[in-house]
Amino acid sequence: MEYFADIAIHQSWIEDSLTYTLIPNVDTPKVGIRVHVELNGKLTEGVIIRLHSQEPNYRCLPIQNYIDSEPIVSEEQLSLAFWMREQYLSSLGDCLFKMIPKGKRKKESPKKPKEVRSEFLQQLNAEQKQAFLGIRDSKAEQRIHLLFGITGSGKTEVYLHLMNEVLQSEDASIIFLVPEISLTYPMIQRIEKVFPNQVAVLHSYLRTKERFQNYWDILQGKKRIVIGTRSAIFAPVRNLSLVLIDEEHDTSFKENSSPRYHARQIADKRLKETNGKLVLGSATPSLEMYHFALQGKIGFHRISKRAVPEAKEANIAVNQKLEDKQLISGDLQFKIHTHLQKNEQVLILLNRRGYHPLVYDEETKEFIHCPKCSANLCFHSNQILRCHLCGFQESFNYFQKQSKKDLSLMGAGSQKLEENLLELFPSAKVERLDQDSTKQKEVIAEVFQKLEEGQIDILTGTQMIAKGLDFPNVTLVGILNANHGLGVPDFRSSERTYSLLSQVAGRAGRGVKPGEVFIQSSDPEHPVIKLALNQNYHEFYLWEIAFRKSLHYPPFSRLVRLVFRSKKEDECMKTSLEYRTRLESQNLEGAQILGPSPCPFVKIDDNYRYHILLKTNAMEKLREQLRDFKKNSKPNIHCYVEYDFDPVDLV
């Protein structure tokens, strides 16, 4: 008879499970359901991972109540959680609760017939067909494939043909990951048209009960295609046969809280168990994946021409911006006017939120910082100063009263750009897309619909407008402050800047009308700007890979980052120094230790931050050593330490 349950608790500091007694006189629960248990006098959630009759050597508390009647995690998910715990040195509970959306099952949705409407698939051109066949016919051991296609080359059509092939098998399932769900509504509609009644969408914009219902339908096998952002990789599909990661270079596929997984790694692990295929699609692939593809370590499939035969790559020009007061140069103003005269549409990118990114205090001779962070406060058009790191906000008047001299507003953000465009082109219909204008998901869909219907003449915004837009009447793309991002103290800053410039440039001229791209830069001779002008990713790769090799950065090594967080800076520095000393005594074979040093953003949300960086060519050996190192480290209540394997940024 089973009297005890091992439960994975949703707490970072409990690495394994805790044992509780079952509720008496109630039907025995099933492994995989959520429960409420008492921990340190408080009610917390957990998941039953094992039922047994072995009494532990401590007094067990009873389970308070069963949240679910049926399991809401599959056996595969439980197994994956155990693997993640070892891989990312995190708690079992944290791993499991990354997979489960909040909420409860409300109703049993009817099972609808699964169809494949192959007649809605478009015919592939020669390059697309070659890529499709190369992936489809590859051997089982070649699990990972890079689909490297220029913007507008029709990668989505290759995805659809691969999905069609996989779904010929009755029990096969697919996960399709995108960096930003709200920017991919046209793609979702296309997939639903070809595969009706089979698509479930998982993302944070959904209402809690809607998201959980979709999750439950997937668990019950009622949906075979899952589309979503990063965490959708955990969807409890059966017989996962294909994972597609669109815009695979995007850093949003890396989780920024424990466990700090990358969706690509989770996909690879799951597909290893099912002999499925992982397809990574991008016009500007991550340097590591492109490097591995060139070396033959993963499949490599290239599409070099645009899907619309008449469409040509846009003509790109760069202009040096000298006058700060003039946000849009005279040359770019003339080009905008010319394209609007032809009833064509324009995209203008400025990758800075707010109205004025900087507020200068003449009295202190300093920019006004967030009181909780080491970041500058940004002035917004509603007279509020806001921190884009922690969310702190306060009125401009409050800070003005603190200073004996007037505060100066400097620089330009997307709000000021929108206002500037309305002044320069008063008869044009202008819309802005950034995090401040899109608090609700419906706004993005509405803007896209208006753009498609010709109700918008100029669309402006931050990097959001660089992804997924495919509108043939957009013929001019202007990029302002193109050097923004190159000064970030991170070895990937050049890669990210090149990718952003190339992606947004690819929005122009996607139909029969010729496209133009106009870049404003304070340093047009910077190598990244010049390489972006050529739109030749391989040239950029050759330039960047030499830098990576000289400093032994990925792909020539792998990284582990230890980040220390504390309310007290001296405690943070002291703990990081102690860890450095202890790490050196561990004789970490083949690992180079850098730091400790303050993080570029040394303070975020009242927490000081220091970090240590480890470089290695023997990751599994280092992981094993760090696992033992962590177990032997005494918890410090004043300083939290997080382990980040293969970090995508170092700020």
Side-chain angles (χ1 to χ4, degrees):
M1 189 72 180
E2 295 162 329
Y3 299 103
F4 301 97
D6 291 344
I7 296 173
I9 308 292
H10 194 191
Q11 295 289 341
S12 297
W13 51 275
I14 300 175
E15 291 192 6
D16 295 304
S17 58
L18 295 178
T19 303
Y20 287 78
T21 59
L22 300 181
I23 301 173
N25 305 319
V26 175
D27 289 345
T28 302
K30 297 176 181 178
V31 169
I33 71 163
R34 292 171 298 178
V35 296
H36 279 131
V37 294
E38 190 181 320
L39 183 69
N40 292 341
K42 295 179 180 178
L43 213 59
T44 189
E45 272 191 37
V47 173
I48 295 178
I49 62 168
R50 179 173 168 252
L51 296 168
H52 59 90
S53 57
Q54 300 157 3
E55 185 173 1
N57 58 1
Y58 53 84
R59 185 177 73 85
C60 294
L61 293 173
I63 293 171
Q64 296 296 305
N65 70 287
Y66 304 135
I67 298 173
D68 309 298
S69 56
E70 294 295 323
I72 54 120
V73 290
S74 64
E75 287 184 18
E76 189 217 350
Q77 286 174 302
L78 283 172
S79 174
L80 182 63
F82 277 99
W83 176 83
M84 287 174 65
R85 180 187 64 176
E86 300 301 307
Q87 194 77 359
Y88 302 111
L89 308 192
S90 54
S91 78
L92 186 61
D94 276 355
C95 295
L96 271 173
F97 278 90
K98 275 283 190 286
M99 305 179 187
I100 310 167
K102 294 177 182 177
K104 293 176 71 175
R105 180 166 59 97
K106 298 294 182 186
K107 63 181 188 300
E108 198 67 52
S109 59
K111 200 164 188 175
K112 296 179 180 178
K114 296 169 181 174
E115 298 178 70
V116 176
R117 304 291 300 275
S118 301
E119 66 269 24
F120 291 125
L121 291 172
Q122 294 176 9
Q123 191 170 355
L124 300 178
N125 63 32
E127 283 191 315
Q128 289 171 324
K129 189 172 183 179
Q130 187 177 2
F132 161 68
L133 294 174
I135 297 168
R136 187 196 70 177
D137 300 337
S138 60
K139 295 178 181 177
E141 56 267 25
Q142 191 172 62
R143 192 165 53 250
I144 306 175
H145 298 264
L146 176 63
L147 180 58
F148 173 42
I150 65 168
T151 52
S153 60
K155 294 183 287 294
T156 302
E157 208 57 44
V158 178
Y159 298 154
L160 287 167
H161 279 257
L162 288 169
M163 293 166 75
N164 180 54
E165 194 76 21
V166 166
L167 293 178
Q168 299 305 314
S169 173
E170 283 292 321
D171 64 340
S173 297
I174 295 166
I175 295 177
F176 194 145
L177 297 184
V178 293
E180 173 61 67
I181 199 78
S182 55
L183 301 177
T184 52
Y185 286 125
M187 184 190 289
I188 293 171
Q189 289 170 343
R190 182 83 206 287
I191 293 170
E192 287 177 332
K193 187 176 182 180
V194 180
F195 308 104
N197 304 323
Q198 301 195 62
V199 177
V201 179
L202 292 178
H203 60 88
S204 57
Y205 281 122
L206 292 174
R207 290 189 297 273
T208 300
K209 63 180 181 181
E210 187 182 358
R211 190 178 185 190
F212 193 87
Q213 187 63 50
N214 287 357
Y215 177 89
W216 181 256
D217 288 346
I218 297 163
L219 186 63
Q220 296 300 300
K222 294 175 182 175
K223 304 289 184 182
R224 295 201 293 163
I225 302 171
V226 178
I227 304 175
T229 47
R230 178 182 61 237
S231 61
I233 193 57
F234 297 117
V237 296
R238 302 172 183 181
N239 187 25
L240 180 59
S241 303
L242 176 66
V243 174
L244 303 159
I245 303 183
D246 194 36
E247 311 290 4
E248 70 84 22
H249 62 275
D250 199 285
T251 56
S252 66
F253 292 119
K254 171 79 172 179
E255 174 61 65
N256 56 13
S257 63
S258 181
R260 292 173 170 266
Y261 68 90
H262 196 294
R264 184 178 62 230
Q265 294 172 340
I266 303 297
D268 188 40
K269 170 63 179 173
R270 292 189 69 179
L271 291 166
K272 192 175 183 180
E273 308 297 323
T274 59
N275 290 320
K277 297 185 191 299
L278 170 59
V279 179
L280 310 170
S282 179
T284 55
S286 57
L287 205 80
E288 289 97 317
M289 290 301 106
Y290 188 74
H291 182 74
F292 295 149
L294 289 179
Q295 290 190 323
K297 293 181 179 179
I298 62 175
F300 190 25
H301 314 274
R302 175 159 190 170
I303 309 177
S304 61
K305 297 186 178 77
R306 288 199 159 177
V308 178
E310 298 86 357
K312 301 288 189 293
E313 286 195 53
N315 178 42
I316 304 176
V318 67
N319 172 256
Q320 185 163 13
K321 181 76 167 44
L322 298 173
E323 180 54 64
D324 284 340
K325 291 180 181 178
Q326 190 183 38
L327 182 54
I328 302 173
S329 70
D331 289 345
L332 181 52
Q333 288 181 39
F334 177 76
K335 287 184 178 294
I336 294 171
H337 178 75
T338 302
H339 283 259
L340 293 179
Q341 287 285 95
K342 293 188 285 185
N343 292 319
E344 296 171 355
Q345 293 165 303
V346 177
L347 248 61
I348 306 291
L349 171 89
L350 176 58
N351 200 25
R352 298 188 89 169
R353 286 169 59 194
Y355 196 92
H356 290 292
L358 301 169
V359 183
Y360 186 72
D361 190 336
E362 297 285 353
E363 183 185 6
T364 62
K365 304 298 182 188
E366 290 180 346
F367 293 109
I368 294 182
H369 281 81
C370 171
K372 295 184 174 184
C373 301
S374 54
N376 295 318
L377 288 177
C378 177
F379 176 84
H380 284 248
S381 55
N382 58 359
Q383 302 291 308
I384 295 292
L385 300 191
R386 186 174 297 157
C387 175
H388 294 159
L389 283 181
C390 75
F392 169 87
Q393 58 182 40
E394 186 55 84
S395 71
F396 176 76
N397 285 339
Y398 170 83
F399 285 100
Q400 182 60 78
K401 288 174 183 176
Q402 307 296 312
S403 179
K404 294 176 183 176
K405 295 187 177 182
D406 287 343
L407 300 179
S408 300
L409 301 174
M410 297 183 174
S414 53
Q415 290 179 343
K416 186 176 181 181
L417 172 60
E418 180 186 28
E419 185 179 287
N420 196 235
L421 286 165
L422 287 166
E423 290 172 357
L424 291 169
F425 307 100
S427 60
K429 297 182 283 288
V430 180
E431 288 274 0
R432 171 171 54 89
L433 269 187
D434 57 26
Q435 287 185 33
D436 302 305
S437 67
T438 56
K439 299 295 184 187
Q440 297 175 317
K441 64 170 183 176
E442 292 82 7
V443 172
I444 301 174
E446 286 171 13
V447 169
F448 281 1
Q449 187 174 350
K450 286 161 75 175
L451 190 67
E452 186 175 19
E453 293 172 354
Q455 295 179 39
I456 296 174
D457 298 314
I458 304 173
L459 178 63
T460 182
T462 56
Q463 62 184 0
M464 289 181 76
I465 66 171
K467 304 171 188 174
L469 296 183
D470 188 2
F471 298 103
N473 200 41
V474 172
T475 55
L476 174 64
V477 168
I479 304 173
L480 311 186
N481 197 10
N483 291 72
H484 182 64
L486 288 172
V488 176
D490 188 324
F491 75 95
R492 294 187 202 271
S493 61
S494 293
E495 181 182 355
R496 275 195 287 267
T497 302
Y498 178 88
S499 175
L500 178 62
L501 295 179
S502 294
Q503 290 286 338
V504 74
R507 303 306 116 199
R510 294 173 77 95
V512 294
K513 296 178 181 178
E516 271 192 283
V517 180
F518 193 85
I519 299 173
Q520 282 185 191
S521 168
S522 58
D523 181 14
E525 293 302 310
H526 192 287
V528 172
I529 304 295
K530 292 177 79 172
L531 288 163
L533 270 175
N534 298 336
Q535 286 288 285
N536 186 323
Y537 179 83
H538 189 71
E539 277 185 27
F540 169 76
Y541 162 81
L542 293 174
W543 177 80
E544 177 70 7
I545 203 74
F547 158 73
R548 299 281 185 93
K549 190 172 185 179
S550 67
L551 295 177
H552 199 55
Y553 274 115
F556 301 101
S557 68
R558 289 180 69 182
L559 305 179
V560 182
R561 186 187 186 212
L562 274 63
V563 181
F564 304 82
R565 289 192 277 124
S566 176
K567 298 291 183 185
K568 300 176 181 176
E569 186 170 15
D570 57 346
E571 187 69 40
C572 195
M573 183 168 62
K574 176 185 159 192
T575 306
S576 63
L577 287 167
E578 287 172 356
Y579 267 65
R580 164 81 194 216
T581 303
R582 288 183 54 222
L583 285 168
E584 286 176 327
S585 68
Q586 293 293 306
N587 189 26
L588 301 177
E589 190 178 328
Q592 181 186 0
I593 306 173
L594 301 176
S597 62
C599 297
F601 286 114
V602 70
K603 186 183 177 188
I604 296 180
D605 202 13
D606 280 331
N607 280 295
Y608 290 93
R609 305 164 68 246
Y610 277 63
H611 59 173
I612 290 174
L613 195 65
L614 304 172
K615 293 181 184 178
T616 184
N617 288 113
M619 177 59 96
E620 296 316 310
K621 175 69 175 172
L622 178 60
R623 195 191 313 275
E624 193 179 312
Q625 290 177 304
L626 288 175
R627 192 178 296 123
D628 294 338
F629 177 83
K630 187 181 180 186
K631 284 179 182 175
N632 296 324
S633 300
K634 292 180 181 178
N636 183 343
I637 61 171
H638 299 297
C639 187
Y640 177 74
V641 185
E642 58 194 39
Y643 293 74
D644 187 1
F645 290 83
D646 302 304
V648 296
D649 67 61
L650 304 178
V651 295

